[in-house]
Amino acid sequence: MYHERINRVTNRNITLSLVANPSHLEAVDPVVQGKTKAEQFYRGDAQGKKVMSILVHGDAAFAGQGVVYETFHLSDLPSYTTNGTVHVVVNNQVCYRRRGHNEMDEPMFTQPLMYKQIHRQVPVLKKYADKLIAEGTVTLQEFEEEIAKYDRICEEAYGRSKDKKILHIKHWLDSPWPGFFNVDGEPKSMTCPATGISEDVLTHIGSVASSVPLEDFKIHTGLSRILRGRADMTKNQMVDWALAEYMAFGSLLKEGIHVRLSGQDVERGTFSHRHHVLHDQEVDRRTCVPMNHLWPDQAPYTVCNSSLSEYGVLGFELGYAMASPNALVLWEAQFGDFHNTAQCIIDQFISTGQAKWVRHNGIVLLLPHGMEGMGPEHSSARPERFLQMSNDDSDAYPVFTADFEVSQLYDCNWIVVNCSTPANYFHVLRRQILLPFRKPLIIFTPKSLLRHPEAKSNFDQMVSGTSFQRVIPEDGAAARAPEQVRRLIFCTGKVYYDLVKERNSQGLEQQVAITRLEQISPFPFDLIKQEAEKYPGVELAWCQEEHKNMGYYDYISPRFMTILGRARPIWYVGRDPAAAPATGNRNTHLVSLKKFLDTAFNLQAFEGKTF
């Protein structure tokens, strides 16, 4: 909740904001710090003179929970410090509980002697009342009236709580986001404008992205080559992954949207592709952020390397994203599987936050993902976990209304995407802000595709009037003659490029169509139905590079069955089930890749098999 009251000392209003927290001890600590930092940032409060945080701890949890220390580690980092926090640590060695852990508890089971002593204690209220009555400060009647008055206040409040008419959502928010929703707390529309931008804005951002806005600033020679590459792409009206991200961020800054990107090594990028902070090679600690030199009246861009923490930092960014709907707040894992040390924040706050606390949050998780023969540690962002926690119903045949795409997003608990093109990545980032509500966005981001010659997009796919494509249908020879197609393969992410390469080498462009699922959840039932109906009677297959018990198959399979009326099977093509997400042996990786690509284009592979 939040509450404004008068500060009697200064005679000015002070806002108290209580952040919702789960039962997981200390998990809310970094969330509070992130929210505090955001409130300071939007008020220009660099010294922490206008906004501060108070954290209340139990002594055992304060000592025992590691997130306490992850949060402390942020205290002196430039883009994370809140300039001090008041910590109240409750000393459970001095206090005592009359009824143990809760009202239903029986503490005599385990602490018999202590609780015999506690039961002999006169309750504090009675002890104090007896003292006041004995001193003549109050009479017995006054004391009883005061007790009755307080009981009455509680009973009346309890009675009112049963009247649902007074349950205003805004009373339960720690940040009310004035003006974003209508008076009932509902979105102002169920539409999302096109996410494309004008060609001249794309060109301008591209030219700044390939320049050094400060004079006499000596950059690394290797960086000069990267900037020249960006300039060439801009001239040719092309973008790679890094430049598409630059375009998305830069265009939002132009529209007054603050962008904050946080995580381990995000300024340069884990894969040395981003380079949003330039470093002078001759002057120590002299840096330049070209993104903040796009327009004179733009919103500020914050890009900040975090400490080596996931739990604490993701909690911090979640709290930061609470403060305003007019900010794109992104946390990037160094590798996708590192999110599992922040699982508490994902489970208790991100996937369930709106259902538990009517709390919208638009945080974006960037999780590098892909099977590239690099071993089990850095390969999988565990998409199956995010999909399992998605709340869309696999068995309910949807009603396709005019606003189906947006209302489906509104009903879901989060959005899960795996983009195969830089343009689609650009669009999904912009859509995150242009939607009339806020939902967490999980993006499985590429590694090798960052430099893949085919993984580039044209300005034509990003200009005004274009939008995010939930599904990218086959658009080659197979689409022009669907009656000649024998198999339709659905896939998502990087494996598309492996499939296209193999199809070309086998000369099967007319017999096999390949359609990409870009938004996995909520599932694009309408577009999948269209694609399946375009190729009636052909074999349908789902191809993934992940092992069968991981990835997307368990999620997409029942949804395909629902939309197809269980009339056609969707065959699995991919790696066999496994315990580890990837092999540690490069040769084994390549053998298993060849095996499932062979199956994908063997048009007799499923003959005689039952589904």
Side-chain angles (χ1 to χ4, degrees):
M1 55 81 77
Y2 82 107
H3 176 62
E4 278 193 2
R5 55 161 291 175
I6 199 82
N7 180 340
R8 301 289 176 201
V9 178
T10 61
N11 213 31
R12 293 169 67 182
N13 264 350
I14 185 167
T15 301
L16 302 171
S17 182
L18 180 69
V19 176
N21 66 294
S23 186
H24 294 58
L25 296 170
E26 308 290 342
V28 80
D29 297 356
V31 181
V32 169
Q33 300 295 28
K35 180 169 158 51
T36 303
K37 182 65 177 179
E39 299 288 2
Q40 291 174 348
F41 181 84
Y42 296 130
R43 287 169 173 75
D45 180 19
Q47 303 301 313
K49 302 287 187 192
K50 298 176 183 174
V51 185
M52 64 167 286
S53 57
I54 301 171
L55 288 174
V56 184
H57 310 271
D59 51 2
F62 188 75
Q65 292 289 334
V67 71
V68 174
Y69 306 98
E70 289 192 36
T71 306
F72 274 126
H73 289 163
L74 302 174
S75 62
D76 281 335
L77 283 177
S79 295
Y80 300 86
T81 181
T82 57
N83 299 284
T85 299
V86 173
H87 293 270
V88 180
V89 184
V90 178
N91 185 342
N92 276 308
Q93 309 307 311
V94 174
C95 310
Y96 69 89
R97 298 178 176 190
R98 290 198 69 80
R99 302 184 193 279
H101 191 70
N102 58 50
E103 293 83 348
M104 307 299 290
D105 203 12
E106 176 44 274
M108 293 286 285
F109 287 148
T110 54
Q111 299 285 350
L113 299 184
M114 183 168 77
Y115 270 87
K116 281 175 185 170
Q117 196 171 335
I118 287 171
H119 291 155
R120 288 194 291 269
Q121 293 284 327
V122 178
V124 175
L125 177 60
K126 180 162 177 24
K127 198 183 287 188
Y128 186 46
D130 289 348
K131 180 174 183 288
L132 293 179
I133 292 165
E135 289 172 352
T137 308
V138 297
T139 65
L140 177 62
Q141 184 182 351
E142 285 172 328
F143 165 68
E144 288 173 346
E145 283 173 358
E146 193 65 28
I147 292 288
K149 177 182 165 188
Y150 186 72
D151 275 350
R152 196 162 57 250
I153 289 170
C154 292
E155 282 298 329
E156 286 172 2
Y158 179 58
R160 284 199 309 278
S161 74
K162 294 179 179 177
D163 181 357
K164 287 188 178 166
K165 289 196 292 293
I166 64 146
L167 268 180
H168 298 300
I169 282 176
K170 63 183 181 185
H171 293 167
W172 298 93
L173 296 180
D174 47 68
S175 304
W177 293 1
F180 185 69
F181 295 114
N182 64 25
V183 289
D184 299 325
E186 297 295 324
K188 291 179 175 175
S189 76
M190 267 298 162
T191 57
C192 180
T195 44
I197 58 177
S198 67
E199 189 180 303
D200 60 332
V201 173
L202 290 168
T203 304
H204 174 72
I205 297 171
S207 67
V208 174
S210 49
S211 67
V212 184
L214 299 184
E215 291 188 6
D216 302 321
F217 193 99
K218 182 98 165 66
I219 61 169
H220 191 279
T221 50
L223 203 50
S224 301
R225 189 183 70 254
I226 290 169
L227 297 190
R228 278 197 305 275
R230 287 181 187 170
D232 290 343
M233 279 191 287
T234 304
K235 185 180 169 187
N236 296 323
Q237 299 202 322
M238 299 288 289
V239 296
D240 63 3
W241 216 269
L243 194 51
E245 181 182 77
Y246 220 110
M247 303 286 193
F249 290 179
S251 59
L252 290 171
L253 296 171
K254 184 178 192 292
E255 293 159 24
I257 300 298
H258 170 49
V259 178
R260 176 183 167 96
L261 172 62
S262 159
Q264 295 158 16
D265 208 12
V266 294
E267 295 177 10
R268 185 199 67 168
T270 295
F271 311 102
S272 200
H273 67 289
R274 186 173 283 128
H275 298 288
H276 284 187
V277 179
L278 310 180
H279 292 259
D280 194 312
Q281 298 298 295
E282 293 175 351
V283 182
D284 189 35
R285 292 182 152 195
R286 186 183 183 214
T287 59
C288 170
V289 181
M291 194 90 76
N292 279 322
H293 296 264
L294 288 165
W295 288 279
D297 55 349
Q298 67 172 73
Y301 174 55
T302 306
V303 56
C304 41
N305 291 341
S306 72
S307 62
L308 285 174
S309 150
E310 290 84 29
Y311 187 172
V313 174
L314 181 56
F316 188 98
E317 302 310 328
L318 178 91
Y320 201 105
M322 285 179 179
S324 169
N326 300 314
L328 183 68
V329 179
L330 311 97
W331 175 75
E332 182 174 71
Q334 193 161 40
F335 287 92
D337 53 345
F338 289 1
H339 78 73
N340 59 15
T341 59
Q343 200 71 47
C344 179
I345 298 296
I346 293 167
D347 290 356
Q348 307 311 129
F349 290 89
I350 300 179
S351 80
T352 55
Q354 186 181 352
K356 293 196 292 192
W357 302 316
V358 293
R359 191 73 184 76
H360 282 236
N361 195 298
I363 191 167
V364 180
L365 273 59
L366 303 177
L367 306 176
H369 171 84
M371 309 293 123
E372 290 166 0
M374 303 305 288
E377 297 307 304
H378 291 157
S379 294
S380 177
R382 297 287 188 179
E384 64 278 1
R385 293 187 181 166
F386 293 95
L387 295 173
Q388 187 211 9
M389 290 192 283
S390 296
N391 69 349
D392 67 330
D393 190 342
S394 60
D395 302 320
Y397 194 97
V399 178
F400 299 125
T401 55
D403 60 7
F404 175 73
E405 179 179 351
V406 177
S407 61
Q408 198 187 26
L409 294 173
Y410 181 64
D411 292 337
C412 76
N413 61 320
W414 57 17
I415 303 163
V416 181
V417 304
N418 188 352
C419 301
S420 64
T421 69
N424 232 18
Y425 178 53
F426 161 87
H427 284 299
V428 82
L429 291 174
R430 286 187 47 79
R431 185 183 75 169
Q432 186 68 355
I433 288 296
L434 292 174
L435 284 169
F437 44 80
R438 294 288 172 263
K439 297 283 175 172
L441 172 62
I442 316 300
I443 308 181
F444 303 119
T445 55
K447 293 174 287 184
S448 62
L449 289 194
L450 295 173
R451 293 177 175 83
H452 196 293
E454 301 298 316
K456 291 209 167 72
S457 296
N458 195 287
F459 278 14
D460 291 346
Q461 297 162 293
M462 301 161 72
V463 292
S464 305
T466 58
S467 288
F468 175 69
Q469 291 180 270
R470 293 173 294 147
V471 168
I472 301 181
E474 168 67 55
D475 63 352
R480 292 189 288 276
E483 68 283 352
Q484 293 181 24
V485 172
R486 294 183 55 196
R487 180 174 294 169
L488 168 57
I489 298 175
F490 290 93
C491 66
T492 188
K494 175 182 80 72
V495 75
Y496 168 74
Y497 294 91
D498 296 322
L499 288 166
V500 168
K501 184 180 175 186
E502 183 66 23
R503 180 175 64 175
N504 292 349
S505 75
Q506 294 200 26
L508 291 171
E509 291 90 344
Q510 290 186 313
Q511 290 101 311
V512 180
I514 305 172
T515 289
R516 287 167 270 176
L517 189 57
E518 302 278 298
Q519 177 180 298
I520 307 149
S521 182
F523 190 74
F525 286 101
D526 51 336
L527 301 181
I528 295 296
K529 183 171 187 284
Q530 278 177 29
E531 273 299 277
E533 288 174 351
K534 182 176 178 179
Y535 304 93
V538 309
E539 269 185 346
L540 304 179
W542 172 264
C543 182
Q544 64 180 39
E545 58 178 1
E546 297 82 3
H547 291 283
K548 190 175 184 180
N549 55 324
M550 303 171 198
Y552 321 91
Y553 185 65
D554 284 344
Y555 175 86
I556 66 97
S557 180
R559 287 163 178 81
F560 265 93
M561 290 296 94
T562 294
I563 205 65
L564 300 171
R566 305 194 176 274
R568 298 158 75 181
I570 174 100
W571 297 100
Y572 172 77
V573 177
R575 291 183 166 95
D576 294 335
T583 176
N585 182 294
R586 174 82 180 163
N587 189 56
T588 306
H589 164 79
L590 294 172
V591 167
S592 61
L593 173 64
K594 184 179 187 310
K595 182 183 172 189
F596 80 71
L597 288 176
D598 286 348
T599 304
F601 295 100
N602 173 3
L603 299 180
Q604 285 78 45
F606 307 117
E607 280 183 6
K609 292 195 175 179
T610 53
F611 184 74

